[in-house]
């Protein structure tokens, strides 16, 4: 991954073949899982009996197990089938206002992650088998924009997480073992699904989480409305093609 990313956005796109995509998702899954543990989002207990795990109804153990399998795939040698790979957006970042070369965001509940390394931002959902991408292309991603600011990348990340909540039939992931070779492979059963509308309160909660470190520094041009209020009313946007009137424009 260091060799893939050290050249920035342009190099990653040139060298990201099918094997690179699988490695990318294994790497993102590893980082996501490690930060879940670091942040205490997984209720790890000393009691390792199966019954103790089954009693924990608040943790999506099936999805966490899948992400764990992805993270370990370079070690186990598991082949990752194409339908397993989740949604991914790779952006070129150009923003002189933010001098730091690194940024990191996760939305635990939707298994969404964003990592920025210099002029490269990678946004992905680890458990939707790419089902968010049609909605993202239709309603979120601008068609011709080539470079993005940090705040625009965060908006795309937040919308990726919100879009995932629209999927009413989640993929079911399974690991199969080839009896002849003993090699494992990870597959996905993709049930027929329809995209539900996004719950407005869920969307605003996700945006508030993603922008929480930036909220004290943001204001709306020509308005007394706070950025937090704009988020809670689902009126905050930094993407030019979404701005329908001057009152909704946001400036640093």
């Amino acid at each position: 991954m260091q060799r893939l990313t050290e050249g920035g956005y342009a190099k990653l796109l040139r060298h990201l073949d099918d094997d690179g995509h699988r490695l990318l998702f294994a790497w993102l899954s590893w980082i996501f899982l490690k930060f879940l543990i670091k942040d205490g989002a997984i209720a790890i207990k000393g009691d390792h009996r199966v019954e103790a795990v089954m009693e924990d109804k608040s943790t999506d153990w099936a999805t966490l197990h899948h992400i764990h399998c992805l993270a370990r795939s370079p070690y186990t040698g598991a082949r990752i089938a194409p339908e397993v790979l989740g949604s991914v957006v790779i952006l070129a970042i150009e923003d002189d206002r933010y001098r730091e070369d690194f940024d990191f965001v996760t939305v635990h509940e939707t298994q969404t992650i964003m990592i920025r390394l210099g002029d490269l931002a990678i946004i992905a959902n680890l458990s939707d088998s790419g089902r968010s991408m049609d909605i993202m292309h239709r309603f979120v991603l601008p068609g011709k924009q080539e470079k993005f600011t940090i705040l625009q990348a965060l908006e795309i990340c937040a919308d990726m997480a919100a879009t995932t909540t629209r999927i009413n039939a989640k993929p079911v992931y399974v690991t199969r073992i080839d009896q002849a070779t003993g090699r494992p492979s990870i597959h996905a059963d993709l049930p027929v699904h329809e995209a539900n509308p996004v719950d407005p309160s869920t969307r605003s909660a996700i945006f508030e989480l993603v922008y929480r470190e930036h909220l004290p520094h943001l204001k709306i041009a020509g308005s007394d409305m706070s950025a937090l209020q704009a988020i809670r009313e689902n009126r905050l946007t930094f993407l030019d093609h979404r701005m329908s009137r001057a009152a909704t424009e946001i400036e640093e």
Side-chain angles (χ1 to χ4, degrees):
M1 283 307 305
Q2 181 179 358
R3 288 194 295 270
L4 277 176
T5 59
E6 64 185 357
Y9 174 81
K11 181 179 178 181
L12 179 63
L13 286 194
R14 285 199 308 269
H15 297 285
L16 196 61
D17 56 12
D18 289 344
D19 288 339
H21 265 105
R22 292 181 178 88
L23 179 62
L24 175 65
F25 269 88
W27 181 65
L28 293 172
S29 298
W30 182 82
I31 294 174
F32 181 86
L33 193 64
K34 291 292 186 179
F35 269 85
L36 278 181
I37 296 171
K38 172 185 175 296
D39 292 344
I42 303 177
I44 299 177
K45 302 176 182 178
D47 191 339
H48 296 292
R49 292 174 300 175
V50 173
E51 293 83 357
V53 174
M54 297 303 292
E55 289 173 1
D56 184 351
K57 304 298 184 182
S58 62
T59 301
D60 184 356
W61 293 108
T63 301
L64 285 179
H65 174 70
H66 167 62
I67 293 174
H68 182 255
C69 290
L70 288 177
R72 282 172 53 85
S73 59
Y75 171 73
T76 63
R79 185 181 70 85
I80 302 174
E83 71 273 10
V84 170
L85 300 181
S87 299
V88 61
V89 174
I90 299 175
L91 304 176
I93 301 297
E94 186 176 64
D95 196 338
D96 292 336
R97 293 171 296 177
Y98 293 89
R99 300 296 182 184
E100 294 185 1
D101 288 335
F102 177 79
D103 205 350
F104 176 80
V105 175
T106 61
V107 182
H108 295 166
E109 293 78 6
T110 65
Q111 297 84 51
T112 305
I113 183 171
M114 185 188 92
I115 295 178
R116 181 176 69 87
L117 303 169
D119 74 337
L120 167 67
I122 304 169
I123 303 167
N125 183 275
L126 304 174
S127 63
D128 74 338
S129 285
R131 288 185 159 189
S132 300
M133 287 310 299
D134 179 59
I135 296 173
M136 292 292 292
H137 280 297
R138 289 168 60 193
F139 300 111
V140 180
L141 295 170
K144 297 180 180 179
Q145 187 170 342
E146 295 182 354
K147 294 184 180 294
F148 296 81
T149 68
I150 305 303
L151 298 178
Q152 289 175 329
L154 289 171
E155 181 172 348
I156 293 170
C157 174
D159 260 309
M160 173 82 80
T163 296
T164 304
T165 68
R166 301 181 62 175
I167 301 172
N168 64 355
K170 293 188 68 173
V172 177
Y173 298 104
V174 297
T175 297
R176 298 172 185 157
I177 307 296
D178 187 308
Q179 293 186 353
T181 65
R183 184 182 183 187
S185 56
I186 303 172
H187 301 265
D189 178 17
L190 305 178
V192 176
H193 77 103
E194 296 179 359
N196 297 324
V198 176
D199 176 64
S201 61
T202 299
R203 185 179 187 275
S204 62
I206 290 172
F207 269 68
E208 186 174 342
L209 170 67
V210 170
Y211 280 107
R212 60 187 173 185
E213 294 183 5
H214 298 271
L215 287 175
H217 313 294
L218 299 177
K219 63 180 180 179
I220 301 178
S223 172
D224 293 331
M225 178 184 292
S226 68
L228 179 58
Q229 181 182 350
I231 284 178
R232 291 177 174 174
E233 295 180 6
N234 284 300
R235 296 174 60 185
L236 180 72
T237 183
F238 298 97
L239 296 172
D240 294 339
H241 67 289
R242 283 180 157 182
M243 294 181 180
S244 58
R245 59 184 185 275
T248 63
E249 292 181 0
I250 309 295
E251 65 179 17
E252 188 83 11

